[in-house]
Amino acid sequence: MMEEGDQAAGLRRWAEQFGVAAAPAPGSALAPAPPAAEPVTLMVVGLPGPLGEQSRRVRATLARWQANGHRWVGDPARWKVVALEADSPHLAVLASQQSRWALWVADDADSFRRSFRLLRRLREQTGPLRLLALHDGIASHAGLLRNLQQAAAAFLDLELLLLPEQPGGAC
């Protein structure tokens, strides 16, 4: 199980990927994102549905996190969401060029199996080694998300970043 210090360190590393010069102290909200004029590309694997719906779901998640005190998100509309299949022939090249990757995690009964299979394909295809777990609002990290995070680390040597969520309050 990841300790709070480890989780804060992971959040700081993620913030550094977004160009934040100095990461905030543990327990504080992440620093704000770059100005809205700068688009941010987020490569996402595992997104179900048509393209317009995919972007809407990701932006809704980003808006929820921003409302929860994750200031690094900035304006969710500035994010360019690029949905990608885990078996894309361009995966290795994109992984070397793009620094922001996410895995969409659904909350249905087959989600763990499907998500782990996607992560395994990413690893086999020389994909990204660190991904942010995106979801529609899974209430607790204790089950599906934490299990997926631990399995990704133990069996695939991948880091799956989970962001804390607190309904109606800052994280």
Side-chain angles (χ1 to χ4, degrees):
M1 188 162 131
M2 184 180 283
E3 298 295 324
E4 276 193 27
D6 293 336
Q7 189 173 29
L11 291 173
R12 284 192 302 278
R13 284 191 307 272
W14 183 258
E16 288 167 4
Q17 282 185 346
F18 284 93
V20 177
S28 65
L30 292 176
E38 296 179 36
V40 178
T41 300
L42 181 62
M43 307 299 290
V44 184
V45 292
L47 267 171
L51 185 59
E53 177 67 14
Q54 292 173 335
S55 294
R56 186 204 62 76
R57 290 178 87 176
V58 170
R59 286 195 181 94
T61 297
L62 293 169
R64 186 180 73 246
W65 286 343
Q66 199 271 346
N68 264 301
H70 295 289
R71 296 183 316 197
W72 58 267
V73 170
D75 179 7
R78 77 184 176 93
W79 289 78
K80 178 182 173 185
V81 177
V82 178
L84 187 70
E85 296 295 323
D87 55 1
S88 168
H90 309 290
L91 183 68
V93 172
L94 288 170
S96 70
Q97 295 174 345
Q98 299 294 325
S99 61
R100 296 170 189 94
W101 287 80
L103 171 70
W104 184 265
V105 180
D107 63 353
D108 59 82
D110 291 325
S111 184
F112 179 89
R113 180 183 51 79
R114 190 173 49 250
S115 296
F116 187 78
R117 187 179 312 138
L118 278 171
L119 289 171
R120 189 176 66 227
R121 271 194 256 148
L122 288 176
R123 187 65 168 141
E124 291 168 353
Q125 299 294 329
T126 318
L129 299 176
R130 176 188 289 163
L131 297 99
L132 177 64
L134 290 171
H135 51 85
D136 279 328
I138 298 173
S140 172
H141 289 180
L144 169 65
L145 293 173
R146 185 77 67 217
N147 289 342
L148 190 57
Q149 180 186 48
Q150 290 172 352
F155 299 110
L156 302 172
D157 198 26
L158 293 177
E159 183 178 1
L160 188 61
L161 181 61
L162 307 179
L163 293 183
E165 296 193 49
Q166 298 176 3
C171 297

